[in-house]
Coordinates of all heavy atoms in Angstrom, one line a residue:
A301 N -60.0 54.3 49.7 CA -59.2 53.9 48.5 C -58.3 52.7 48.8 O -57.8 52.6 49.9 CB -58.4 55.2 48.1
I302 N -58.1 52.0 47.7 CA -57.3 50.7 47.9 C -55.9 51.0 48.3 O -55.1 50.3 48.9 CB -57.4 49.8 46.7 CG1 -56.9 48.4 47.0 CG2 -56.7 50.4 45.5 CD1 -57.1 47.4 45.9
E303 N -55.4 52.3 47.8 CA -54.0 52.6 48.1 C -53.7 52.9 49.5 O -52.6 52.7 49.9 CB -53.6 53.9 47.2 CG -53.6 53.7 45.7 CD -54.9 53.7 45.1 OE1 -55.9 54.0 45.8 OE2 -55.0 53.4 43.8
T304 N -54.8 53.3 50.3 CA -54.6 53.5 51.7 C -54.7 52.3 52.6 O -54.5 52.4 53.8 CB -55.7 54.6 52.2 OG1 -57.0 54.0 52.0 CG2 -55.5 55.9 51.3
L305 N -55.1 51.1 52.0 CA -55.3 49.9 52.8 C -53.9 49.3 53.0 O -53.1 49.3 52.1 CB -56.2 49.0 52.1 CG -57.7 49.5 52.0 CD1 -58.5 48.5 51.2 CD2 -58.3 49.8 53.3
P306 N -53.7 48.7 54.2 CA -52.5 47.9 54.4 C -52.5 46.7 53.5 O -53.5 46.2 53.1 CB -52.5 47.6 55.9 CG -54.0 47.6 56.2 CD -54.6 48.7 55.3
R307 N -51.3 46.2 53.3 CA -51.2 45.0 52.4 C -51.9 43.8 53.0 O -52.5 43.0 52.2 CB -49.7 44.7 52.2 CG -48.9 45.7 51.5 CD -49.3 45.9 50.0 NE -49.0 44.7 49.3 CZ -49.3 44.5 48.0 NH1 -49.9 45.5 47.4 NH2 -49.0 43.4 47.4
V308 N -51.9 43.6 54.3 CA -52.6 42.5 54.9 C -54.1 42.5 54.7 O -54.8 41.6 54.9 CB -52.2 42.3 56.4 CG1 -50.7 42.1 56.4 CG2 -52.6 43.6 57.1
A309 N -54.6 43.7 54.4 CA -56.1 43.8 54.3 C -56.6 43.5 53.0 O -57.8 43.3 52.8 CB -56.5 45.3 54.6
L310 N -55.7 43.3 52.0 CA -56.1 42.9 50.6 C -56.1 41.4 50.5 O -55.2 40.7 50.9 CB -55.1 43.5 49.6 CG -54.9 45.0 49.7 CD1 -53.9 45.4 48.7 CD2 -56.3 45.7 49.4
E311 N -57.3 40.9 50.0 CA -57.4 39.5 49.8 C -56.5 39.1 48.6 O -56.4 39.8 47.7 CB -58.9 39.2 49.4 CG -59.8 39.4 50.6 CD -59.7 38.3 51.7 OE1 -59.0 37.3 51.4 OE2 -60.3 38.5 52.7
S312 N -56.0 37.9 48.7 CA -55.1 37.4 47.7 C -55.8 36.1 47.1 O -56.5 35.4 47.8 CB -53.7 37.1 48.2 OG -53.8 36.1 49.2
S313 N -55.5 35.8 45.8 CA -56.0 34.6 45.3 C -55.4 33.4 45.9 O -54.3 33.4 46.3 CB -55.7 34.7 43.8 OG -56.1 33.4 43.1
P314 N -56.2 32.3 46.1 CA -55.7 31.1 46.7 C -54.5 30.5 45.9 O -53.6 29.8 46.4 CB -56.8 30.2 46.7 CG -58.0 31.1 46.6 CD -57.6 32.2 45.8
D315 N -54.5 30.8 44.5 CA -53.4 30.2 43.7 C -52.3 31.2 43.5 O -51.4 30.9 42.7 CB -54.0 29.8 42.3 CG -55.1 28.8 42.5 OD1 -55.1 28.0 43.4 OD2 -56.0 28.8 41.6
S316 N -52.3 32.3 44.1 CA -51.2 33.3 43.9 C -49.9 32.9 44.6 O -48.9 33.5 44.3 CB -51.7 34.7 44.3 OG -51.9 34.7 45.7
G317 N -50.0 32.1 45.6 CA -48.7 31.7 46.3 C -48.4 32.7 47.4 O -47.4 32.5 48.1
A318 N -49.1 33.8 47.5 CA -48.8 34.7 48.6 C -49.3 34.2 49.9 O -50.2 33.4 50.0 CB -49.6 36.1 48.3
P319 N -48.6 34.6 51.0 CA -48.9 34.1 52.3 C -50.3 34.6 52.7 O -50.7 35.7 52.5 CB -47.9 34.8 53.2 CG -47.3 35.9 52.5 CD -47.4 35.5 51.0
A320 N -51.1 33.7 53.3 CA -52.5 34.0 53.6 C -52.6 34.9 54.8 O -51.8 34.8 55.7 CB -53.2 32.7 54.0
P321 N -53.5 35.9 54.8 CA -53.5 36.9 55.8 C -54.1 36.2 57.1 O -54.7 35.1 57.0 CB -54.5 37.9 55.3 CG -55.3 37.2 54.3 CD -54.4 36.3 53.7
A322 N -54.0 36.9 58.2 CA -54.5 36.3 59.5 C -56.0 36.2 59.4 O -56.7 37.0 58.8 CB -54.1 37.3 60.6
P323 N -56.6 35.1 60.0 CA -58.0 34.9 59.9 C -58.8 36.1 60.6 O -58.4 36.6 61.6 CB -58.2 33.6 60.7 CG -56.9 32.9 60.7 CD -55.9 34.0 60.6
R324 N -59.8 36.5 59.9 CA -60.6 37.6 60.4 C -62.0 37.4 59.9 O -62.3 36.6 59.0 CB -60.0 39.0 59.9 CG -60.0 39.2 58.5 CD -59.4 40.5 58.1 NE -59.4 40.7 56.7 CZ -58.6 40.3 55.8 NH1 -57.6 39.5 56.2 NH2 -58.7 40.5 54.5
Q325 N -62.9 38.2 60.5 CA -64.3 38.1 60.1 C -64.5 38.7 58.7 O -64.0 39.7 58.4 CB -65.2 38.8 61.1 CG -65.2 38.1 62.5 CD -66.0 38.8 63.5 OE1 -66.3 40.0 63.3 NE2 -66.4 38.2 64.6
S326 N -65.4 38.0 57.9 CA -65.6 38.4 56.6 C -66.6 39.6 56.6 O -67.2 39.9 57.7 CB -66.3 37.3 55.8 OG -67.5 36.9 56.3
A327 N -66.7 40.3 55.5 CA -67.6 41.4 55.4 C -69.0 41.0 55.5 O -69.8 41.7 56.1 CB -67.3 42.2 54.0
R328 N -69.4 39.8 55.0 CA -70.7 39.4 55.1 C -71.1 39.1 56.6 O -72.3 39.4 57.0 CB -70.9 38.1 54.3 CG -70.8 38.3 52.8 CD -71.1 37.0 52.1 NE -70.9 37.2 50.7 CZ -71.9 37.6 49.9 NH1 -73.1 37.9 50.4 NH2 -71.7 37.7 48.6
T329 N -70.2 38.6 57.4 CA -70.5 38.4 58.8 C -70.7 39.7 59.5 O -71.6 39.8 60.3 CB -69.3 37.6 59.4 OG1 -69.1 36.4 58.7 CG2 -69.6 37.3 60.9
L330 N -69.9 40.7 59.3 CA -70.0 42.0 59.9 C -71.3 42.6 59.5 O -72.0 43.3 60.3 CB -68.8 42.8 59.5 CG -67.4 42.4 60.0 CD1 -66.3 43.3 59.6 CD2 -67.4 42.2 61.6
L331 N -71.6 42.6 58.2 CA -72.9 43.1 57.7 C -74.1 42.5 58.3 O -75.1 43.1 58.7 CB -72.9 43.1 56.3 CG -72.0 44.1 55.5 CD1 -72.1 43.8 54.0 CD2 -72.2 45.5 55.9
A332 N -74.0 41.2 58.5 CA -75.1 40.4 59.1 C -75.3 40.8 60.5 O -76.5 41.0 61.0 CB -74.9 38.9 59.0
R333 N -74.2 41.0 61.2 CA -74.3 41.4 62.6 C -74.9 42.8 62.7 O -75.7 43.1 63.6 CB -72.9 41.3 63.3 CG -72.9 41.7 64.8 CD -71.6 41.5 65.3 NE -71.0 40.2 65.1 CZ -69.8 39.8 65.3 NH1 -68.9 40.7 65.9 NH2 -69.4 38.6 65.1
T334 N -74.4 43.7 61.8 CA -75.0 45.0 61.8 C -76.5 45.1 61.5 O -77.2 45.9 62.1 CB -74.2 45.9 60.8 OG1 -72.8 45.9 61.1 CG2 -74.7 47.4 60.8
A335 N -76.8 44.2 60.5 CA -78.3 44.2 60.2 C -79.1 43.7 61.4 O -80.2 44.2 61.6 CB -78.5 43.2 59.0
E336 N -78.7 42.8 62.1 CA -79.4 42.4 63.3 C -79.6 43.5 64.3 O -80.7 43.7 64.9 CB -78.7 41.2 64.0 CG -78.7 39.9 63.2 CD -77.9 38.8 63.8 OE1 -77.4 39.0 64.9 OE2 -77.9 37.6 63.3
R337 N -78.5 44.2 64.5 CA -78.7 45.4 65.5 C -79.6 46.4 65.0 O -80.4 47.0 65.7 CB -77.3 46.0 65.7 CG -76.4 45.0 66.4 CD -75.0 45.6 66.7 NE -74.1 44.8 67.4 CZ -72.9 45.0 67.8 NH1 -72.4 46.3 67.5 NH2 -72.1 44.2 68.4
I338 N -79.6 46.7 63.6 CA -80.4 47.7 63.1 C -81.9 47.3 63.1 O -82.8 48.0 63.4 CB -80.0 48.1 61.7 CG1 -78.6 48.8 61.7 CG2 -81.0 49.0 61.0 CD1 -78.1 49.1 60.4
D339 N -82.1 46.0 62.8 CA -83.5 45.5 62.8 C -84.0 45.5 64.2 O -85.2 45.8 64.4 CB -83.5 44.0 62.3 CG -83.2 43.9 60.8 OD1 -83.5 45.0 60.1 OD2 -82.8 42.9 60.3
D340 N -83.2 45.3 65.3 CA -83.7 45.3 66.6 C -84.1 46.8 67.0 O -84.9 47.0 67.8 CB -82.6 44.9 67.6 CG -82.4 43.4 67.5 OD1 -83.4 42.7 66.9 OD2 -81.4 42.8 67.9

Side-chain angles (χ1 to χ4, degrees):
I302 192 171
E303 292 80 5
T304 62
L305 297 177
R307 297 292 297 178
V308 296
L310 302 178
E311 293 285 351
S312 59
S313 172
D315 300 330
S316 62
R324 62 183 183 277
Q325 293 179 339
S326 63
R328 293 183 181 275
T329 303
L330 297 177
L331 289 176
R333 185 179 303 172
T334 303
E336 292 177 358
R337 295 182 179 179
I338 293 178
D339 288 339
D340 291 339

